[in-house]
Amino acid sequence: MNNIDAQHTVLFKSPYASLLNDLIALVLTFATAFAVTVFKDTENRHIYLLINNRGPAQWFILYLIFRNISATMLAKRRAFLPDLHFRQAFAFSLFPFFFGLIGTVQGLGAAVSGFAHFLGNGAGTTDQIKSSVFEIFTGIGISLDTLFLGLLGTIMCLGLYVQALAGRIKHNGAMPEQTPNDYAGE
């Protein structure tokens, strides 16, 4: 490596490797969980029951969404990030959807399990049948909630990703494949 290349080489830290990014995402996730628990003893307790009875998958997806949004906002502020970081942002933007699919499979598995209990308790007591039907609908609720949250999160993250990429192209006046090091010879 010659001396000129060494002078123009600048190392950029990925927005996804930021401890501040993780802290922001955790604080926002816990703030959302706290905000939902406010509804526990009010007339709107159905909001609390809807969100808190769905399992940990939705909270993890929410954490990923907040993490992607804060990392993309950091990337928007740094217009000269290398292409690797924009590819990384695109890949991480798809994570909520994939975890939403995993939550969907988990919820459908719980619904099938509840249906098996329902068939096993066909001549059971009313409480056993109610419990089995509740298990079926809880499983379906988990699957629909996680799929919706994953799709919504991915759409939001990809929208921010496109804005950051467009801002980079506008700021650089160049194609996204070019980095500041490509202009060193000019």
Side-chain angles (χ1 to χ4, degrees):
M1 175 184 270
N2 62 26
N3 195 15
I4 295 173
D5 289 339
Q7 290 175 353
H8 292 289
T9 303
V10 179
L11 296 175
F12 293 98
K13 187 176 179 183
S14 171
Y16 288 95
S18 170
L19 191 58
L20 176 65
N21 185 22
D22 290 330
L23 184 65
I24 289 170
L26 279 174
V27 166
L28 288 174
T29 303
F30 284 127
T32 303
F34 177 74
V36 167
T37 58
V38 169
F39 294 119
K40 183 176 182 180
D41 296 325
T42 65
E43 291 179 11
N44 295 324
R45 69 182 177 278
H46 58 279
I47 294 173
Y48 171 78
L49 294 173
L50 177 70
I51 297 207
N52 280 331
N53 288 341
R54 299 296 192 216
Q58 70 176 3
W59 296 112
F60 185 67
I61 293 170
L62 194 62
Y63 167 77
L64 284 175
I65 291 169
F66 287 139
R67 190 170 191 275
N68 287 336
I69 288 172
S70 63
T72 305
M73 297 307 277
L74 286 172
K76 279 178 74 170
R77 295 185 67 213
R78 303 176 190 165
F80 286 113
L81 282 174
D83 289 339
L84 171 66
H85 299 299
F86 282 93
R87 286 187 215 120
Q88 189 180 37
F90 176 74
F92 278 111
S93 294
L94 298 177
F95 278 13
F97 174 71
F98 292 124
F99 282 105
L101 288 178
I102 291 171
T104 301
V105 171
Q106 175 191 8
L108 289 176
V112 168
S113 173
F115 189 67
H117 289 140
F118 178 74
L119 292 177
N121 296 333
T125 65
T126 311
D127 291 336
Q128 290 174 333
I129 293 173
K130 282 182 183 179
S131 173
S132 297
V133 170
F134 180 76
E135 226 179 300
I136 292 169
F137 283 110
T138 300
I140 291 171
I142 289 171
S143 68
L144 292 176
D145 286 348
T146 55
L147 183 62
F148 172 72
L149 192 59
L151 284 172
L152 182 68
T154 298
I155 289 170
M156 287 178 7
C157 292
L158 284 176
L160 286 173
Y161 166 76
V162 168
Q163 283 181 346
L165 193 58
R168 178 179 182 212
I169 292 170
K170 181 180 175 185
H171 186 277
N172 289 347
M175 296 303 293
E177 293 83 23
Q178 295 176 327
T179 61
N181 292 336
D182 293 339
Y183 299 112
E186 294 178 5

